[in-house]
Amino acid sequence: DIFASALGLIVLSPILLITALAIKLYDGGPAIYKQVRLTKDGKQFKIWKFRSMRVDAEKDGVARLSTGDKDPRITPVGRFIRACRLDELPQLLNILWGDMSIVGPRPERPEIAAEYEKFLPDFNLRLQVKAGLTGYAQVYGKYNTNPYEKLEFDLLYINQMNLLTDLELCFNTFRILFSKESTEGVEEDKVTVSDYEEYVR
């Protein structure tokens, strides 16, 4: 993790700089967006991402799931960096600092994870390992994969994690980088966590 993230930051530094400048020049807001997420054993950390939404995207304090390209909160620059997954690159710093791993479950927001656990108690089993930049759910699922399927993907990885699997997932991550389906948001009528409760009934 340390070697890969350090190497990635060095190699991708020109792209990181250009992306940060594009975001800053568009609306003058900060290029980096920090948000509290969960990793191994329920530890909270601040994830770093390139900001793809308006500065006031959550001014009312309500956690909403993104509806993808249809989401009016996403800026034009944000749409591009999301399509290319460039918004995820600052997480290489989280990996270097030890909060995340290259491969693992997608890091969830504490308030959203708590809501999922109300109707899916086993959802916290994902926290047996560090959160990851990529993984089964990220590669073979989509952003709008429902929580039950997300849990299945993550437990599948946890039960058979090894170096070969990690390398395979990293290779497949590059393969889907420009796949529109993999970056789709949730349906417009499912912007809150409770809308997914039907999947576990």
Side-chain angles (χ1 to χ4, degrees):
D1 283 342
I2 294 174
F3 174 79
S5 57
L7 180 63
L9 287 167
I10 294 171
V11 173
L12 299 172
S13 56
I15 296 176
L16 291 165
L17 179 59
I18 292 171
T19 303
L21 284 173
I23 297 169
K24 185 68 176 179
L25 291 173
Y26 175 74
D27 60 9
I32 296 294
Y33 175 66
K34 301 175 186 177
Q35 190 178 68
V36 176
R37 298 290 178 99
L38 296 174
T39 188
K40 185 178 180 181
D41 299 325
K43 176 187 174 184
Q44 296 188 4
F45 72 101
K46 285 189 177 180
I47 196 172
W48 281 39
K49 300 182 72 172
F50 279 127
R51 180 174 58 86
S52 60
M53 292 188 175
R54 301 192 314 261
V55 176
D56 62 350
E58 290 189 353
K59 60 183 178 181
D60 58 0
V62 178
R64 293 186 176 87
L65 302 173
S66 174
T67 54
D69 288 341
K70 297 179 181 179
D71 197 322
R73 299 174 297 168
I74 300 178
T75 66
V77 174
R79 286 191 176 87
F80 175 79
I81 65 174
R82 280 188 170 213
C84 300
R85 299 292 184 90
L86 296 178
D87 60 319
E88 309 281 357
L89 290 182
Q91 290 170 48
L92 289 171
L93 285 169
N94 289 120
I95 296 170
L96 189 62
W97 295 331
D99 295 321
M100 294 176 60
S101 181
I102 295 292
V103 181
R106 185 195 301 274
E108 202 66 77
R109 297 173 67 172
E111 58 270 39
I112 290 180
E115 288 298 312
Y116 281 150
E117 288 172 24
K118 288 180 181 179
F119 57 85
L120 189 57
D122 290 340
F123 197 74
N124 65 1
L125 292 176
R126 304 167 68 251
L127 302 177
Q128 297 176 79
V129 298
K130 285 184 181 179
L133 179 62
T134 189
Y136 272 127
Q138 295 93 312
V139 171
Y140 299 112
K142 302 177 183 178
Y143 181 88
N144 58 10
T145 299
N146 72 64
Y148 183 77
E149 292 172 338
K150 185 183 296 186
L151 175 60
E152 286 188 317
F153 277 128
D154 292 333
L155 291 183
L156 177 64
Y157 169 72
I158 291 171
N159 288 329
Q160 61 179 39
M161 55 189 296
N162 57 66
L163 181 59
L164 187 60
T165 297
D166 285 1
L167 291 174
E168 178 186 352
L169 287 168
C170 288
F171 174 79
N172 285 326
T173 297
F174 288 107
R175 181 177 55 81
I176 66 162
L177 279 181
F178 300 99
S179 171
K180 181 179 184 300
E181 290 76 11
S182 66
T183 56
E184 287 179 347
V186 300
E187 298 173 26
E188 290 187 39
D189 62 343
K190 293 186 180 296
V191 295
T192 62
V193 172
S194 59
D195 295 319
Y196 286 101
E197 188 171 354
E198 63 192 77
Y199 288 104
V200 294
R201 288 177 177 171

